[in-house]
Every structure is written in C-alpha cells, then in structure tokens.
Amino acid sequence: MTGAMRWEGVSLRLAGWKAGPGHRWPGWQVIALVDGRQAGSVQFHAHPRGAAVAVSMLEVLDGFRGRGLASLLIDTVYEAYPDAWVDHGVRTIDGAHWWDAYRDPAPGRNIHNRPPGEWAAYFMASRVAADKTRNASWNRHFGLDGHGGAEYRYRQRLEMEFIGHDKSFLRRVDMPQADPTAQALHAGQLVHLPPRLHRYVHDPGNPAEQRAHALLDHLGHGNLPRPEDHTGWWNTTPGAALDDAVHRELAAGGQGPGLPATQLVFHALPLPDEIPEYESAGSYLEYTSSGDVPVELAGLSWRQSSAPQTLHSAIFDLPVEAAVPPLYPQAASDSYLERYDEAGALRTPPTPWEQLIAGRAGELRAVADRLLDGIAARAAAAPPSPPAPGPTRADDPRQPPPAPTPRPRLP
C-alpha cells in the first residue's frame, strides 16, 4: 500500500458487530470513515481468545473505491489479531478481482494456504473446502491468478481429506452469555426529535429526570426497540448500546428526516425469573418471543450526534414500567393492551366519571331501556287529545259581525 494521499481524511473505528445470536464467536467490525462519512467496513467473528478470525463481509461503498480502503481494512484485522488463523471465506466477483491484486501480509496464517489438520478446531473443514472450490472457479472464469500458488492443494478435489477433519471442529466455545435475569441490560436507539423537544432534552438547565420522562412520553413507554437496522439489541454494557446507535447513524449515510439526531440508551433492570424466549450471543441478546416483553427502566442516557462529548443521564427515583412491543398486534398480551395504545403510548388515565361508570355498561343500558319503555307505555295509555280548532274566516256566520265604522257628523 503506497501513496499517503489516498489515506487523507480517513479514520478507522473498531467496534462490535451484531450479526445475530447464531454464531459461536463474538462479532466485530472495522469501519472506514472518510471525512466523517462511512466509506466501507469489514465484519468478522473473532475467537474469544484471539486464536482465529472468520471474515464475513468486506465492502467499500460506491464513490470511495479505488483508494485502497479494502486492503487497509483487511490489514487492520491482521494487525488487531497478530497470532490468529484467518479465514477469508468465499469471495464475490468483485472480491475475486480485489484479492488478485491484494498482497496478503501473513499468508502463513491464511487457512486456505495450510492443511486442515492445523486449524480444523476453529473452522469446519468441509465448508472451507467448498469456499476454496468456489474461489478457484472465479479465478478460472476471469483468468485470475488469485495467489493460487500459495494455496494448499489449489484446484484439487478436497472433499475426502477435509470432511475427515470435521470431527475436530469445536461447535461451542465457553464464554459469558448475556442473561436478562442476572444483570442489567442496555438497548441503543437513534431518534430524531421535534426541534422544540430536542432543545429541551439537550438543555442541561432542565432537570435530567424530567427530560428523560419527556423522551419516554414522546417515544412511548410501550415502544422500546426491537433489533433492526443496527439497534435494538440488549447489551451487557451501556457503551455497546451507544455504539449501536452510532452505527445506525453511520449506516444511514446522512439520510434522515432532516431533524437533528439523538443517540439514546435505555437502561433496564434484571427481569424476574419468568422471562420470554431469547437468544444470547455473548455480550448481547435478542428477545425472540413474538409477544411483548415488560421491563423496568432504571434510567436513560442520551447525547446529540453532533456533540458526542456531552452525555446526558437520568436515574429514576423509582423504576419506570415499560415494554418491548409485540411483533404484531395479535401477539399483544391483555396487560399490554390495557396499558398501551396502538403506538405504544400510555393510555390516558380515566376521568372520575369514567371510573364511576367503568364496568357498568350493561347496568346503565338496562336502566335506559326501562325509561324508554315507561315513556312508550304512558303515551299509549293517555286519552286522545281534542281536535285543534280550525282557522277562522271573515264570512263565517258564527262569528260576531264587525263593529260599524263611525261616520263623521256634518254641520
């Protein structure tokens, strides 16, 4: 990699990567930023003790290619794990051309170059054989060298040898798992607030707890995040949750509703022993139940994305009841429907009159029916009314004659 000019304005960010709870190793990513905008990234899973790395995705966005960013990202992974076996996986068409021009800084740690007996405890050998075959087919199709000379048994049939090593693969690795009953958990979210509310919650002159309640009232107590678009995972540390909100904003690439962004973290207390279904992935988990998940919030933290050095926090005097919403309305529990409306907002408390008549609809309907029946019965029993007098006419003989008109006297 030569030419310092192409690295001008580039910075790298190493952070966690939420690839889903299914993988046995924690996920990580290196994000390349150019003048503060995400230009590319590499996502990978790393063995908890740093013994091996599996690259899942390497991507450079349009407008930033041709500057060596992909090579910089992979070199950074090598540097971050100096003793690890590295599996580059299967390559796309673009990836095959990039790999052909790339110079591997440590070919001896690339598992595609070594016999499976050396690394089969970390990677399933039969899958690696399939990846090698696919990569070789791209090289052959496009006439690429692809560093085939360095690969172990390049373009040879590998099934029998590699399948024999699958029994060495360690499917499970002992590492701490997030447990919603044993520890507080934290979920990040990126929100765009109306200007007036944005100014209020970021003004340290206002009481922190009141600002936190204003945020909850706006977002909805029953509308805590579920996993989507980099956010909504429940983490064992607040910092990981805040990173989720940051990654959501970076992935958006500046596209948004035109309102200033707020990076928000919900702090939830441990759940009681009776909990919904969930899947843990080391330092975070996902609630997999389709129903709602009631939680108690201990507090909130938030900051402006444009002023990340100022973090606002509020710890509630008493835990606040909240909930992760159901995946669809039919999965909502009765208690959720009673407490929250369709948008997850708290239902308006009933007035004293509504409390008085609550549950008495049948009784009140019966009283109304009796009153209406009584009115109808009285109307039926009443004697008929006399006919109304007709209109009078001037020539009616029954009418008295009109008074004579006085005549004036003559002298």
Side-chain angles (χ1 to χ4, degrees):
M1 297 182 300
T2 60
M5 286 299 294
R6 59 180 176 175
W7 307 132
E8 186 175 351
V10 176
S11 60
L12 300 177
R13 178 186 178 89
L14 175 64
W17 173 51
K18 304 298 193 301
H23 203 282
R24 67 197 190 284
W25 298 346
W28 297 91
Q29 61 182 330
V30 179
I31 302 173
L33 304 174
V34 176
D35 297 328
R37 295 176 55 200
Q38 181 168 337
S41 62
V42 56
Q43 287 98 27
F44 57 94
H45 291 92
H47 187 275
R49 294 186 293 276
V53 170
V55 176
S56 295
M57 174 66 72
L58 173 64
E59 181 183 24
V60 176
L61 303 180
D62 291 339
F64 299 99
R65 296 179 179 177
R67 302 173 62 176
L69 287 179
S71 299
L72 175 64
L73 289 166
I74 290 295
D75 287 351
T76 303
V77 174
Y78 271 107
E79 293 173 6
Y81 298 89
D83 300 317
W85 290 108
V86 179
D87 178 14
H88 291 276
V90 65
R91 288 185 277 276
T92 63
I93 295 176
D94 288 340
H97 286 85
W98 165 77
W99 180 258
D100 187 61
Y102 178 65
R103 294 297 174 261
D104 194 337
R109 294 197 279 128
N110 183 342
I111 66 168
H112 290 203
N113 299 339
R114 305 300 303 169
E118 298 180 6
W119 45 260
Y122 305 108
F123 307 97
M124 184 173 286
S126 59
R127 183 190 59 77
V128 175
D131 291 347
K132 285 165 59 70
T133 301
R134 177 69 178 274
N135 293 339
S137 69
W138 285 133
N139 293 340
R140 182 169 54 252
H141 180 77
F142 293 106
L144 304 174
D145 174 77
H147 309 295
E151 281 202 19
Y152 175 74
R153 294 186 58 189
Y154 184 61
R155 291 185 179 178
Q156 299 181 32
R157 296 188 65 88
L158 307 172
E159 293 92 334
M160 297 310 298
E161 177 186 357
F162 278 58
I163 289 175
H165 287 277
D166 279 353
K167 60 181 180 295
S168 302
F169 179 61
L170 300 177
R171 296 181 181 276
R172 300 297 301 175
V173 177
D174 292 333
M175 61 179 181
Q177 298 290 323
D179 182 351
T181 66
Q183 59 201 151
L185 295 175
H186 316 270
Q189 190 175 22
L190 184 71
V191 297
H192 297 84
L193 305 173
R196 184 175 180 180
L197 179 59
H198 181 87
R199 291 192 297 270
Y200 175 77
V201 300
H202 291 288
D203 184 354
N206 299 316
E209 187 169 356
Q210 292 182 17
R211 290 184 281 150
H213 281 294
L215 279 167
L216 273 178
D217 290 340
H218 174 75
L219 299 172
H221 290 66
N223 200 26
L224 270 58
R226 278 187 176 270
E228 61 177 2
D229 294 335
H230 305 273
T231 62
W233 308 98
W234 289 88
N235 302 269
T236 56
T237 65
L242 196 59
D243 276 346
D244 289 347
V246 173
H247 300 155
R248 173 69 184 91
E249 186 169 11
L250 291 175
Q255 301 297 318
L259 297 172
T262 295
Q263 299 160 2
L264 174 64
V265 176
F266 300 91
H267 306 296
L269 296 172
L271 296 180
D273 293 336
E274 194 171 328
I275 58 173
E277 296 176 356
Y278 72 93
E279 288 188 25
S280 178
S283 62
Y284 68 97
L285 61 81
E286 172 189 0
Y287 290 113
T288 56
S289 170
S290 60
D292 50 275
V293 182
V295 300
E296 289 188 333
L297 292 178
L300 301 179
S301 297
W302 65 97
R303 68 184 184 185
Q304 296 184 72
S305 61
S306 59
Q309 70 279 5
T310 302
L311 181 67
H312 306 269
S313 295
I315 302 300
F316 300 131
D317 291 336
L318 295 173
V320 173
E321 293 185 22
V324 178
L327 284 175
Y328 42 87
Q330 296 85 342
S333 65
D334 291 340
S335 58
Y336 183 90
L337 294 175
E338 182 179 351
R339 181 172 171 79
Y340 307 106
D341 63 16
E342 297 81 0
L346 288 172
R347 293 191 181 277
T348 304
T351 64
W353 171 249
E354 290 172 331
Q355 291 176 338
L356 179 64
I357 66 175
R360 301 178 62 191
E363 177 187 348
L364 296 174
R365 172 57 62 185
V367 171
D369 289 342
R370 288 198 301 271
L371 292 173
L372 292 174
D373 291 343
I375 293 173
R378 288 192 297 273
S385 302
T392 61
R393 299 187 317 183
D395 58 351
D396 190 340
R398 293 174 297 177
Q399 298 297 325
T405 303
R407 295 184 177 183
R409 295 181 176 221
L410 297 175

